[in-house]
């Protein structure tokens, strides 16, 4: 009514002025931006943990029931070549949150550790990294994270919360600062890095021996050192001993905890009710912020082991405990979508669904599969090169703005979500650093047919294992593998007997010449092209090699967050409710009263 009516009555001079303005606007194409500024959609991002692309009905599974996610795809755009920046939680999520490869923030393996191991470690997403939540917060959004974080907690003291979600642009946090692991379940075999444990024990022994030798030498008068120095060394031994000791029975208490904002509210957490409280929290966040605009990142604990599933879903799927857990996850997603709809927010919200990386093939109990299914794609979680580790579901829905039922086969990255939501929220991506993601808006709206990514680089830890070339003109899709993991002789494209495949050392094969696949005709990467039979072989390898070199030049050294010194458990950093080391509590509190 208002503005339009006024324009109608405007004086001729004003009308000319408006027409001029409109022309200038059109020429500069700034009006569109203004318009989207004036209306900011809510953003709902849902990320599953360890879900395989082949687990969903809308990606071809005809026996697992995922009707809610399938409906989301029907009402929105489905990406078939959506790629995680890394095949493991910590680096993939760091890249997702920042729109940058994990090596740029130091969140990728440096000496063997590929993910954070403890809430009480000092590594995590550095404070000078900018998440999409931070930018949207500055654009007036209320931002919330519900679920898993796995990006670190503290730097130097318990409670400094330097890596905490609230220090990274989230106004509200409810969930696990760490991740679900089998150790969280008292009845399941522990999975936390046995190598760390062995190393800690070795250091403890060596240091204890050293201290004892020094003490003996001092008492017999062979050397003269101060007692203060001896005491210092002895306390260091104690510390290592404590860390080693803590890695056993205490994993559950130290790592499996729930926080609301800065407070630990369950230690150890109650697994049985985790799904229902997360859901309650997500719905309550939507209710509290229905006037918008809000950004809600629901980072599901499903479908990571130990696959805690409620009675309602146990034994209901055709695929055992794993299938039950996937169907429960789909139900959770459905409930969240219902909440949006009930509050009339469906058309005002961009909803996104993905998984942090491919399904976990090595997660087995005997021969019962406890990890996901990556469809026709080779490999899985932990493998940065093979498609199965990185090709994940990607669904975006915004009724009335994005076409319903559209399927896009172009290569896109999880890192693209960063510039996409920043643009929709009216913000600007940081100009002082490399951003690897590209806005998906033109592709989603159909303004362009082609993905902005001509090349994508696929990492395993800090090692580049493969690269993808989507030729701009011909549209051909090539994939080059420089390094691949050595699979278990039992085959099936997995590293049984390990938790995941390694990225370097004896467990990998370096290829010279590299393996080349035509991904469009061979998506399962089953038939490497022969140099003799493929006339373009040499030219493609040369062009991709050139792109890799150019990409490498954009790397600059940053402090690593996953070095041993940052990974080890430090008692003074351990989040704790009560008096350390007797941390224990179970307060539920009212969701959303903060
Ligand atoms: C559906 O998912 C289950 C569980 O991951 C898997 O075992 C099965 O092979 C999948 N079916 C299809 C047709 O992809
Ligand atoms: C939401 O958008 C769809 C698709 O454009 C439209 O059919 C529907 O009427 C809209 N609903 C509301 C409540 O505006
Ligand atoms: C963050 O700080 C580290 C250490 O000083 C530096 O190497 C890195 O480049 C900084 N990152 C950004 C994005 O400014």
């Amino acid at each position: 009514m208002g503005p339009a009516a006024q324009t109608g009555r405007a004086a001729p001079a004003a009308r000319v002025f408006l027409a001029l303005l409109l022309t200038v606007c059109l020429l500069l194409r700034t009006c569109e931006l203004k318009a989207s500024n004036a209306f900011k959609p809510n953003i709902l991002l849902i990320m599953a943990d360890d879900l395989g692309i082949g687990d969903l009905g809308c990606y071809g599974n005809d026996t697992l029931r995922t009707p809610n996610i399938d409906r989301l795809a029907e009402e929105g755009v489905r990406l078939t070549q959506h790629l995680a920046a890394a095949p493991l939680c910590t680096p993939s999520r760091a890249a997702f949150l920042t729109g940058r490869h994990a090596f740029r923030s130091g969140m990728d393996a440096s000496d063997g550790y590929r993910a954070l191991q403890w809430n009480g470690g000092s590594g995590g997403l550095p404070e000078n990294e900018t998440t999409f939540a931070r930018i949207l917060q500055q654009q007036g959004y209320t931002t919330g994270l519900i679920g898993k974080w796995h990006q670190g907690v503290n730097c130097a003291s318990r409670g400094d919360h330097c890596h905490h979600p609230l220090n990274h642009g989230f106004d509200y946090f409810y969930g696990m600062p760490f991740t679900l692991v089998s150790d969280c379940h008292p009845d399941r075999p522990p999975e936390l890095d046995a190598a760390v444990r062995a190393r800690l024990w070795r250091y403890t022994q060596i240091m204890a021996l050293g201290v004892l030798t020094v003490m003996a030498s001092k008492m017999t008068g062979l050397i003269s050192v101060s007692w203060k120095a001896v005491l210092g060394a002895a306390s260091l031994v104690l510390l290592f001993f404590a860390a080693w000791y803590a890695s056993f029975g205490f994993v559950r208490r130290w790592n499996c905890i729930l926080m609301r904002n800065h407070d630990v509210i369950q230690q150890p957490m109650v697994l049985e009710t985790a799904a229902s409280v997360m859901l309650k929290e997500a719905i309550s966040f939507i209710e509290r912020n229905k006037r918008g605009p809000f950004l809600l990142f629901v980072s599901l604990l499903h479908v990571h082991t130990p696959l805690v599933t409620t009675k309602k879903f146990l034994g209901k799927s055709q695929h055992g405990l794993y299938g039950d857990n996937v169907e429960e996850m789909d139900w959770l997603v459905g409930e969240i979508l219902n909440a949006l709809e009930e509050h009339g927010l469906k058309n005002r919200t961009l909803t996104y669904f993905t998984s942090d990386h491919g399904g976990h093939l090595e997660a087995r109990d005997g021969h019962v599969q406890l990890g996901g299914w990556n469809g026709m794609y080779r490999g899985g979680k932990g493998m940065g090169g093979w498609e199965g580790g990185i090709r994940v579901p990607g669904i975006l829905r915004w009724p009335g703005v994005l076409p319903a039922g559209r399927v896009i086969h172009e290569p896109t990255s999880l890192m693209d979500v960063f510039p996409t939501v920043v643009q929709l929220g009216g913000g600007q991506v940081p100009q002082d650093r490399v951003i690897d993601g590209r806005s998906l808006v033109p592709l989603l709206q159909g303004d362009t047919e082609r993905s902005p990514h001509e090349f994508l680089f696929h990492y395993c830890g800090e090692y580049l294992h493969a690269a993808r070339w989507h030729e701009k003109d011909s549209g051909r899709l090539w994939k080059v593998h420089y390094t691949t993991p050595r699979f278990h002789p039992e085959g099936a494209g997995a590293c049984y007997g390990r938790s995941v495949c390694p990225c370097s050392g004896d467990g990998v094969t370096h290829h010279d010449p590299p393996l080349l696949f035509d991904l469009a005709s061979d998506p399962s990467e089953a038939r490497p092209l022969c140099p003799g039979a493929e006339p373009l072989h040499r030219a493609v390898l040369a062009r991709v090699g050139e792109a890799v070199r150019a990409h490498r030049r954009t790397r600059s050294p940053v402090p690593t967050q996953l070095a041993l010194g940052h990974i080890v458990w430090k008692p003074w950093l351990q989040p704790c409710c009560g008096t350390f080391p007797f941390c224990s509590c179970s307060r539920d509190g009212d969701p959303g009263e903060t």
Side-chain angles (χ1 to χ4, degrees):
M1 249 284 259
Q6 272 161 24
T7 316
R9 269 186 264 111
R15 245 181 263 167
V16 171
F17 176 74
L18 276 176
L20 258 173
L21 195 70
L22 196 68
T23 318
V24 172
C25 254
L26 282 175
L27 283 174
L28 297 177
R29 288 187 60 94
T30 52
C31 288
E32 252 173 272
L33 216 75
K34 286 269 159 53
S36 66
N37 259 344
F39 173 71
K40 295 180 175 182
N42 301 311
I43 313 272
L44 170 61
L45 308 174
I46 306 175
M47 179 180 271
D49 198 1
D50 287 14
L51 178 77
I53 189 169
D55 288 327
L56 298 178
C58 54
Y59 284 92
N61 201 310
D62 49 12
T63 45
L64 260 181
R65 288 163 301 184
T66 56
N68 294 295
I69 298 169
D70 299 349
R71 178 165 55 97
L72 191 67
E74 269 163 39
E75 296 174 347
V77 178
R78 185 167 65 88
L79 306 172
T80 62
Q81 201 184 154
H82 197 42
L83 299 148
L88 225 60
C89 309
T90 299
S92 169
R93 287 156 188 265
F96 176 70
L97 286 158
T98 60
R100 290 147 57 75
H101 277 291
F103 62 75
R104 302 200 196 278
S105 52
M107 291 293 274
D108 226 331
S110 58
D111 57 3
Y113 302 102
R114 294 168 60 189
L116 298 172
Q117 306 276 324
W118 297 101
N119 275 325
S122 54
L125 193 64
E127 286 187 279
N128 65 355
E129 287 296 329
T130 304
T131 65
F132 51 69
R134 161 83 61 225
I135 297 178
L136 263 59
Q137 192 179 47
Q138 288 161 354
Q139 294 298 316
Y141 275 72
T142 306
T143 56
L145 168 65
I146 288 164
K148 160 175 171 166
W149 176 238
H150 211 182
Q151 300 290 308
V153 185
N154 295 314
C155 290
S157 65
R158 177 177 312 138
D160 70 28
H161 288 181
C162 68
H163 304 304
H164 188 281
L166 295 201
N167 202 29
H168 273 299
F170 289 99
D171 296 315
Y172 184 69
F173 170 54
Y174 184 95
M176 289 188 84
F178 193 61
T179 171
L180 273 187
V181 278
S182 290
D183 310 61
C184 295
H185 201 296
D187 309 333
R188 303 277 159 82
E191 74 178 54
L192 216 83
D193 199 349
V196 187
R197 192 172 291 163
R199 231 194 255 199
L200 283 172
W201 181 232
R202 205 163 55 240
Y203 292 158
T204 310
Q205 286 173 306
I206 294 170
M207 288 188 348
L209 206 68
V211 171
L212 285 177
T213 316
V214 170
M215 267 165 77
S217 315
K218 182 180 166 65
M219 286 196 295
T220 52
L222 273 175
I223 53 166
S224 70
V225 288
S226 72
W227 277 114
K228 221 170 141 187
V230 175
L231 215 71
S235 37
L236 210 66
V237 175
L238 245 145
L239 192 69
F240 268 82
F241 177 77
W244 169 77
Y245 180 70
S247 75
F248 284 92
F250 290 94
V251 174
R252 194 167 149 239
R253 175 145 311 188
W254 296 152
N255 277 347
C256 310
I257 65 174
L258 276 186
M259 289 180 94
R260 183 198 306 283
N261 293 326
H262 288 298
D263 302 320
V264 179
I265 55 164
Q266 276 186 13
Q267 189 166 19
M269 68 189 267
V270 184
L271 291 185
E272 291 68 28
T273 54
S276 62
V277 288
M278 296 291 162
L279 178 59
K280 206 161 98 187
E281 283 288 334
I283 292 175
S284 150
F285 182 91
I286 292 170
E287 250 163 35
R288 293 200 303 278
N289 296 291
K290 60 183 172 209
R291 267 165 219 96
F294 67 77
L295 163 91
L296 174 60
F297 178 18
V298 179
S299 176
L300 297 164
L301 304 181
H302 289 65
V303 294
H304 200 291
T305 51
L307 302 173
V308 186
T309 313
T310 52
K311 271 215 185 71
K312 202 172 140 200
F313 291 93
L314 271 183
K316 295 291 157 63
S317 80
Q318 292 182 36
H319 294 286
L321 182 57
Y322 179 81
D324 299 346
N325 201 245
V326 171
E327 295 192 355
E328 184 178 60
M329 175 207 62
D330 179 75
W331 169 77
L332 282 174
V333 170
E335 292 296 299
I336 297 170
L337 298 182
N338 285 345
L340 267 192
E341 220 157 322
E342 271 162 32
H343 292 292
L345 300 174
K346 185 172 165 184
N347 284 12
R348 280 196 276 148
T349 305
L350 173 80
T351 305
Y352 170 73
F353 179 86
T354 195
S355 173
D356 57 352
H357 48 69
H360 192 187
L361 304 179
E362 289 83 5
R364 298 200 300 180
D365 183 6
H367 282 273
V368 178
Q369 194 63 32
L370 297 180
W373 172 249
N374 299 314
M376 64 172 142
Y377 304 109
R378 191 168 182 183
K381 174 177 179 177
M383 300 174 226
W386 296 119
E387 290 291 284
I390 51 177
R391 205 188 270 226
V392 293
I395 301 169
L396 294 113
R397 180 189 77 179
W398 185 2
V401 179
L402 303 185
R406 187 142 184 253
V407 181
I408 295 179
H409 302 293
E410 293 284 298
T412 56
S413 167
L414 264 70
M415 295 187 286
D416 297 340
V417 170
F418 177 95
T420 304
V421 304
V422 164
Q423 182 185 349
L424 295 177
Q428 235 206 352
V429 299
Q431 304 294 307
D432 61 344
R433 62 196 69 186
V434 179
I435 302 287
D436 297 293
R438 297 284 175 269
S439 172
L440 292 173
V441 173
L443 188 65
L444 294 173
Q445 290 196 315
D447 293 343
T448 167
E449 289 290 307
R450 286 274 179 251
S451 157
H453 296 288
E454 190 173 5
F455 294 95
L456 279 171
F457 305 97
H458 306 301
Y459 280 80
C460 185
E462 60 170 353
Y463 305 96
L464 189 146
H465 273 194
R468 164 185 328 250
W469 182 23
H470 183 236
E471 268 193 70
K472 273 239 145 55
D473 303 327
S474 67
R476 294 197 70 171
L477 187 63
W478 307 100
K479 179 109 171 269
V480 176
H481 289 260
Y482 299 97
T483 307
T484 54
R486 291 207 176 127
F487 291 142
H488 188 274
E490 207 176 294
C495 298
Y496 298 124
R498 296 173 174 262
S499 61
V500 286
C501 289
C503 296
S504 60
D506 291 344
V508 301
T509 308
H510 299 287
H511 300 280
D512 189 17
L515 300 178
L516 175 65
F517 295 93
D518 178 346
L519 213 50
S521 65
D522 179 20
S524 306
E525 299 171 285
R527 301 180 302 274
L529 300 170
C530 298
E534 171 56 59
L536 292 172
H537 199 277
R538 184 194 285 263
V540 171
L541 287 189
R543 181 67 191 92
V544 175
E546 194 183 304
V548 166
R549 281 190 296 281
H551 163 73
R552 286 220 160 100
R553 284 195 291 274
T554 69
R555 284 190 76 152
S556 47
V558 291
T560 165
Q561 300 295 322
L562 301 185
L564 183 64
H566 277 314
I567 286 289
V568 292
W569 182 71
K570 299 175 179 171
W572 61 91
L573 297 186
Q574 175 61 47
C576 172
C577 58
T579 317
F580 188 84
F582 308 103
C583 316
S584 168
C585 61
S586 185
R587 315 177 212 143
D588 209 11
D590 294 332
E593 287 311 301
T594 18

